[in-house]
Every structure is written in C-alpha cells, then in structure tokens.
Amino acid sequence: MDEILAVLAPLQALRHRHQEQLDLHRTADGDVIEEQRTAYEEVRETTAMEASDTLGVVIKRLELLAAIPTCRAFTLAFTGPGHEDGERPWLFVVHATDLHDAQRTLRELPSFQQWLEDAASPSLNAPALLTEESHPGTGAPGSYNDLRHEQASLPAQRAPTQPAAAGTAPFAPTSRPTRRPAITAARSPRPSLPYGRKEHHL
C-alpha cells in the first residue's frame, strides 16, 4: 500500500496545483473568462507539459515496482547533524532489490550527495550508515526523506559499485552534480531515545 500511496500522493498534489492555476482564469461555474483566455491557454500548455514530464517519471517508478528481480522500498538510516547530541537518525527511502543495492542507489542521487556535503562540515564527523537501523519497507509517511521520485527521474542508472561493508563506515559523495534537489528536515532539539524507537521527522 505504501508503494501505491508514494506514487499517488505527488500526482494528487500536482493535479491540485494545476487546478488552482487554471481556476485563476475561470468563473465559479468553471467557464473560462474571455478576457483571460490567452493567459488561460498559456497555463494549460505549461501544466500539460509538466504533466507529460511527470508521466514519464511515474512510468519509471511503476517499472521499478514490476522489475525482476523485484524492487521494493528500503529505508537507510544515517548519523548526521545533531547525532552527538542524541538526535534521531536521518532516514532515506529508495527502491532496490536489497540493502546493498539500496546503498548503491542512494549514493547516486544528487540530493543525497548534497546532503552528505552539507552534513560533513569540518566540525562534524562524516555521516555513517547505521546498518542495524536500515531495513526493507518504510515508516509512517512524512517520517523519512522519500527519494524514490528522484530515483525514477534519473535518465539511467550508473554501473553498480562495490557494496559498502557492514557496520557504520562513513559515506562520501561520488561526484559533484550540477543540479541537486534540496533535502530539508526539522532540526529542533528532541529528547534522546534509544535508536530502535527513533525516526527523523521531516
């Protein structure tokens, strides 16, 4: 069910945003305001192009779900800013066949590479993978950084890299991409709890 909701939610948000943009040029009955027809048609063209681009990403995500061997959601947990103060791990979700494949896939995503650069400042330890907190499946929606849409939007997967060794070895960026979607998260102090009961809420 989570896999379906993860695909459906951004589509619903896209449709709602497009309807709001079009409604600016329509009456309460849904008729186009004649004086604004040119602007309305321009918005229709823009939203149609965005919808077409999004369709390609959705198809890719569905192909990942139907792939053989089967891909499924995996959650990877990392130490990060605030870890020394007892903050919860940072959680990232991608589609993969197993945890090693999930690690490889995550390292290829521009937004994760950007997060690594931001998190590994001179005054902080490099983020480390928490293998004991990484697992198949996901937590509650909104409790993790869902990178499956970005994963599906990549033009092609790079060649597989050697899987990371078990444990908490630090990760490092593999390249410096030119365009990186931002990862944001609430960073207010939270009570320290055992890692087994933690999730980083975004």
Side-chain angles (χ1 to χ4, degrees):
M1 180 60 72
D2 171 72
E3 300 286 4
I4 297 175
L5 292 177
V7 175
L8 181 61
L11 295 180
Q12 292 173 323
L14 179 69
R15 180 181 63 180
H16 179 71
R17 178 163 54 81
H18 285 179
Q19 290 300 322
E20 286 185 328
Q21 293 173 351
L22 292 169
D23 284 344
L24 294 175
H25 308 288
R26 295 191 290 215
T27 66
D29 295 329
D31 299 323
V32 179
I33 301 173
E34 286 303 324
E35 294 81 1
Q36 300 183 29
R37 182 168 292 278
T38 299
Y40 174 79
E41 294 298 336
E42 291 176 351
V43 173
R44 280 194 64 191
E45 181 179 356
T46 300
T47 54
M49 291 176 61
E50 183 180 8
S52 178
D53 292 342
T54 302
L55 177 61
V57 176
V58 171
I59 290 174
K60 178 62 177 177
R61 292 190 65 170
L62 294 176
E63 287 175 344
L64 288 172
L65 291 177
I68 299 176
T70 303
C71 286
R72 59 177 299 187
F74 280 84
T75 299
L76 298 178
F78 288 84
T79 62
H83 175 70
E84 294 81 359
D85 299 323
E87 286 290 311
R88 285 170 274 194
W90 289 66
L91 305 180
F92 301 89
V93 172
V94 294
H95 276 131
T97 56
D98 54 37
L99 281 172
H100 288 317
D101 184 42
Q103 294 174 37
R104 178 187 64 81
T105 299
L106 185 62
R107 293 186 64 166
E108 294 176 345
L109 299 181
S111 62
F112 181 72
Q113 294 177 9
Q114 176 66 67
W115 179 80
L116 283 176
E117 291 185 8
D118 293 342
S121 67
S123 61
L124 297 173
N125 294 326
L129 175 68
L130 300 171
T131 55
E132 71 278 8
E133 296 297 322
S134 302
H135 56 82
T138 67
S143 66
Y144 50 84
N145 289 285
D146 191 345
L147 302 187
R148 288 172 289 185
H149 199 74
E150 180 185 351
Q151 176 187 358
S153 68
L154 293 180
Q157 292 289 341
R158 300 187 183 94
T161 57
Q162 286 297 109
T168 58
F171 269 45
T174 56
S175 63
R176 189 176 183 84
T178 57
R179 184 172 181 269
R180 307 180 181 98
I183 290 177
T184 58
R187 301 188 181 186
S188 56
R190 298 182 177 86
S192 176
L193 295 175
Y195 273 132
R197 298 170 56 191
K198 294 179 179 179
E199 287 181 331
H200 200 290
H201 291 271
L202 305 182

